[in-house]
């Protein structure tokens, strides 16, 4: 069944808790935003879904730590000793935060007169049709598949509201404009996130911790002082320091490491490299594996890494097959789509239409699989090298696989610097979260805790 994936943007909201009188049933409201309501049955469905996702994601960790036992009641297992909150409280909180986003946005869309398009409705109809066929084939009920109280009507409402909320989210995000100067100021204010360190290095060997180490330190200091321009580091190293074996194994750039983010540096370089005032030509000497390593700063600042514009079609691994066989089936299905694209005359417009038709990527399937100014990493195995290759040209298409399935990529071209793209996303998130705070108050976001407590 084709999935509509719910985006989850976690942010802080000031939430009032309300109680209601009367009997509680599966139709009782658990969350209410204006006229948009999530009842207990749907909340339970989302709650159990979050637990299932957590089990899969942290299976190995839970097996070793035993910090959570799903065979026992979650409301009897303490998660935080200081507050006394339980694991049931935690999963309720996760569910509230995931639901509140699309509920607020769906209500805002409704108030602003936005509705689902004919294609959106057709997509929901197709999912409901697939659901009914699956239930009939397995001879099971909706409750057996989705949990207590769930009906086809509630599931349809969930799909429509999620899709409406998603549409509203992207219309808001696309309307936020972040000037270059603001992105630059923001990135420079957070060097440990956005800046990179480029450096030269060489290990001066020492056989013991006494005289040999003193000799190594003296040699490292003397060599460093002889370098007036870091760009000459390797040439001076080759001419004055390397032995014959090292010269035979040398190739240009062997002792140079470009643009490394703070998080990817070892502890010594993290502290030294990102000290205030660090500049080209500065150096430090630290203990290495066989002696003392000289590190010389070549440059520190915003990196040259580019973002890329791509179109993407995702075909998930066949869950009924599983494992490598499931991935192989996804790859086969992906190759059929590529053949359809080739036989149809190729081109970006055709690829976009196929992405809308076939892709399970909930982030981009509605906009033709388009990723603008995105990182080259994160799609699939070996896709990074393909995207960043100097030979890559507009219109190139290739299929890659990962544990989750097959990914078809259409290369458009290079985008803005990656740091700028990332900074813009962060600043847009700030503005979006501020707007969501306002909308939560405007539409009187409510949580009915006495109803939600029934699922614990």
């Amino acid at each position: 069944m084709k999935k509509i994936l719910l985006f989850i943007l976690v942010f802080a909201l000031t939430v009032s808790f309300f109680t209601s009188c009367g009997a509680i049933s599966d139709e009782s409201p658990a969350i209410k935003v204006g006229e948009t309501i999530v009842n207990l049955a749907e909340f339970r469905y989302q709650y159990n879904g979050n637990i299932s996702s957590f089990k899969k994601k942290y299976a190995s960790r839970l097996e070793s730590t035993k910090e959570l036992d799903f065979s026992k009641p979650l409301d009897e297992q303490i998660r935080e000793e200081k507050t006394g909150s339980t694991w049931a409280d935690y999963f309720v909180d996760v569910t509230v935060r995931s639901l509140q986003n699309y509920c607020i946005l769906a209500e805002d869309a409704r108030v602003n007169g936005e509705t689902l398009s004919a294609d959106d409705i057709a997509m929901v109809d197709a999912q409901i049709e697939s659901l009914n066929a699956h239930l009939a084939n397995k001879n099971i009920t909706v409750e057996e598949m989705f949990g207590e109280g769930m009906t086809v009507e509630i599931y349809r409402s969930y799909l429509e509201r999620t899709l409406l909320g998603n549409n509203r989210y992207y219309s808001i995000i696309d309307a936020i404009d972040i000037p270059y100067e603001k992105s630059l100021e923001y990135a420079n204010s957070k060097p440990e996130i956005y800046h990179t360190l480029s450096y030269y290095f060489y290990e001066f060997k020492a056989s013991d911790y006494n005289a040999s180490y003193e000799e190594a330190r003296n040699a490292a200091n003397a060599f460093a002082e002889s370098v007036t321009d870091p760009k000459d580091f390797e040439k001076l190293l080759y001419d004055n320091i390397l032995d014959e074996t090292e010269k035979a194994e040398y190739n240009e750039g062997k002792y140079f490491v470009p643009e490394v983010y703070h998080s990817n540096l070892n502890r010594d370089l993290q502290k030294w490299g990102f000290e205030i005032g660090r500049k080209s030509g500065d150096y430090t000497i630290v203990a290495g594996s066989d002696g003392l390593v000289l590190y010389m700063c070549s440059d520190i600042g915003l990196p040259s890494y580019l973002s890329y514009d791509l179109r993407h079609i995702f075909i998930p691994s066949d869950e009924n097959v599983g494992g490598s066989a499931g991935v192989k089936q996804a790859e086969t299905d992906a190759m059929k789509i590529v053949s359809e694209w080739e036989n149809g005359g190729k081109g970006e417009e055709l690829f976009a239409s196929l992405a809308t038709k076939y892709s399970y990527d909930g982030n981009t399937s509605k906009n033709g699989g388009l990723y603008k100014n995105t990182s080259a990493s994160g799609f699939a195995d070996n896709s990074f090298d393909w995207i960043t290759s100097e030979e890559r040209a507009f219109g190139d298409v290739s299929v890659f696989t990962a544990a989750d399935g097959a990914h078809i990529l259409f290369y458009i071209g290079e985008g803005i610097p990656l740091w700028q793209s990332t900074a813009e996303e962060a600043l847009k998130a700030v503005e979006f979260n501020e707007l969501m705070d306002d909308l939560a108050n405007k539409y009187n976001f409510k949580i009915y805790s006495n109803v939600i407590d029934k699922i614990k």
Side-chain angles (χ1 to χ4, degrees):
M1 188 193 310
K2 189 165 185 175
K3 302 176 181 177
I4 301 175
L5 301 179
L6 170 66
F7 62 89
I8 299 178
L9 298 171
V10 178
F11 53 91
L13 282 176
T14 303
V15 179
S16 299
F17 289 81
F18 291 77
T19 58
S20 59
C21 301
I24 296 175
S25 68
D26 289 330
E27 289 74 36
S28 297
I31 291 177
K32 188 172 185 293
V33 187
E35 296 181 16
T36 299
I37 296 173
V38 174
N39 64 26
L40 177 59
E42 183 183 340
F43 190 94
R44 185 189 297 115
Y45 163 68
Q46 297 277 11
Y47 175 84
N48 290 330
N50 286 324
I51 290 176
S52 178
S53 297
F54 186 91
K55 286 180 180 178
K56 292 179 181 178
K57 185 175 181 179
Y58 298 107
S60 58
R61 169 182 152 184
L62 294 175
E63 185 176 350
S64 61
T65 63
K66 309 296 182 184
E67 60 188 298
L68 177 58
D69 185 350
F70 285 103
S71 67
K72 298 178 181 178
L74 297 180
D75 62 346
E76 295 178 5
Q77 299 182 66
I78 301 298
R79 182 173 181 268
E80 294 185 359
E81 294 292 343
K82 289 184 178 180
T83 63
S85 63
T86 67
W87 277 99
D89 295 327
Y90 168 76
F91 286 114
V92 163
D93 183 58
V94 169
T95 304
V96 168
R97 285 186 283 120
S98 63
L99 283 168
Q100 68 191 15
N101 299 320
Y102 80 76
C103 285
I104 292 172
L105 289 168
E107 179 64 12
D108 191 51
R110 185 193 67 79
V111 170
N112 283 279
E114 296 182 10
T115 58
L116 296 179
S117 67
D119 288 341
D120 290 335
I121 294 172
M123 184 187 298
V124 173
D125 287 342
Q127 291 195 66
I128 296 301
E129 183 180 345
S130 296
L131 170 61
N132 287 328
H134 179 77
L135 295 174
N137 182 53
K138 297 294 184 179
N139 193 28
I140 58 175
T141 66
V142 178
E143 284 193 306
E144 289 174 319
M145 180 173 179
F146 288 144
E148 181 184 352
M150 280 294 287
T151 65
V152 173
E153 290 72 24
I154 292 175
Y155 187 64
R156 174 186 284 276
S157 177
Y158 153 71
L159 293 176
E160 291 176 344
R161 191 165 54 246
T162 300
L163 190 51
L164 191 62
N166 275 342
N167 292 348
R168 184 59 179 161
Y169 165 74
Y170 287 112
S171 67
I172 291 172
I173 287 294
D174 290 343
I176 299 175
D177 179 56
I178 306 296
Y180 173 84
E181 293 75 14
K182 189 173 182 179
S183 296
L184 180 62
E185 181 183 4
Y186 181 80
N188 283 329
S189 72
K190 299 180 181 297
E192 292 188 357
I193 297 177
Y194 292 95
H195 287 190
T196 58
L197 175 70
S198 298
Y199 62 90
Y200 290 94
F201 72 96
Y202 180 75
E203 184 169 15
F204 289 81
K205 301 295 190 297
S207 59
D208 57 51
Y209 287 95
N210 297 315
S212 294
Y213 263 76
E214 187 63 28
E215 291 175 4
R217 184 175 300 279
N218 291 337
N221 275 311
F223 175 74
E225 292 298 328
S226 73
V227 181
T228 57
D229 185 341
K231 293 179 181 179
D232 297 329
F233 186 98
E234 285 194 318
K235 182 180 185 305
L236 293 172
L237 192 70
Y238 186 92
D239 292 341
N240 301 290
I241 303 297
L242 300 187
D243 60 31
E244 293 306 314
T245 300
E246 290 173 321
K247 287 182 178 180
E249 297 173 348
Y250 171 77
N251 55 282
E252 186 177 357
K254 181 176 182 178
Y255 299 101
F256 178 63
V257 181
E259 299 184 330
V260 184
Y261 285 102
H262 179 273
S263 59
N264 294 327
L265 293 168
N266 65 44
R267 186 173 300 176
D268 291 324
L269 287 185
Q270 282 183 338
K271 183 177 180 180
W272 172 80
F274 283 81
E275 285 181 351
I276 296 175
R278 181 64 58 233
K279 63 184 183 302
S280 178
D282 291 349
Y283 68 90
T284 186
I285 300 171
V286 301
S289 57
D290 297 312
L292 296 175
V293 183
L294 166 67
Y295 292 102
M296 178 170 287
C297 175
S298 171
D299 183 54
I300 184 167
L302 295 169
S304 61
Y305 301 129
L306 291 174
S307 62
Y308 294 86
D309 294 343
L310 307 158
R311 290 192 184 272
H312 172 241
I313 298 175
F314 171 55
I315 307 300
S317 173
D318 191 331
E319 294 182 357
N320 295 322
V321 178
S324 59
V327 173
K328 187 65 178 178
Q329 181 59 53
E331 183 180 21
T332 299
D333 293 340
M335 292 305 299
K336 291 179 181 177
I337 295 172
V338 173
S339 294
E340 183 176 344
W341 173 72
E342 291 174 338
N343 295 334
K346 300 183 178 182
E348 183 178 1
E349 185 176 346
L350 176 57
F351 190 94
S353 67
L354 294 175
T356 302
K357 181 179 180 180
Y358 292 118
S359 183
Y360 283 70
D361 181 350
N363 293 321
T364 65
S365 60
K366 283 178 57 60
N367 69 348
L370 180 62
Y371 277 92
K372 283 189 67 65
N373 300 320
T374 189
S375 167
S377 61
F379 284 99
D381 301 336
N382 302 317
S383 63
F384 177 87
D385 291 339
W386 182 84
I387 294 170
T388 58
S389 171
E390 293 182 357
E391 300 176 355
R392 198 58 46 233
F394 172 81
D396 287 351
V397 169
S398 190
V399 175
F400 302 91
T401 59
D404 58 350
H407 301 257
I408 312 173
L409 296 181
F410 180 102
Y411 183 84
I412 298 175
E414 295 175 346
I416 61 178
L418 186 58
W419 68 261
Q420 183 183 349
S421 174
T422 307
E424 284 182 359
E425 289 179 4
L427 289 168
K428 283 186 175 185
V430 171
E431 290 193 27
F432 176 81
N433 291 343
E434 291 173 351
L435 172 63
M436 291 296 283
D437 284 342
D438 293 339
L439 293 179
N441 293 324
K442 177 180 179 180
Y443 299 131
N444 196 17
F445 177 77
K446 301 179 182 179
I447 297 175
Y448 294 87
S449 57
N450 65 319
V451 175
I452 292 173
D453 284 344
K454 293 296 181 180
I455 70 172
K456 293 183 181 180

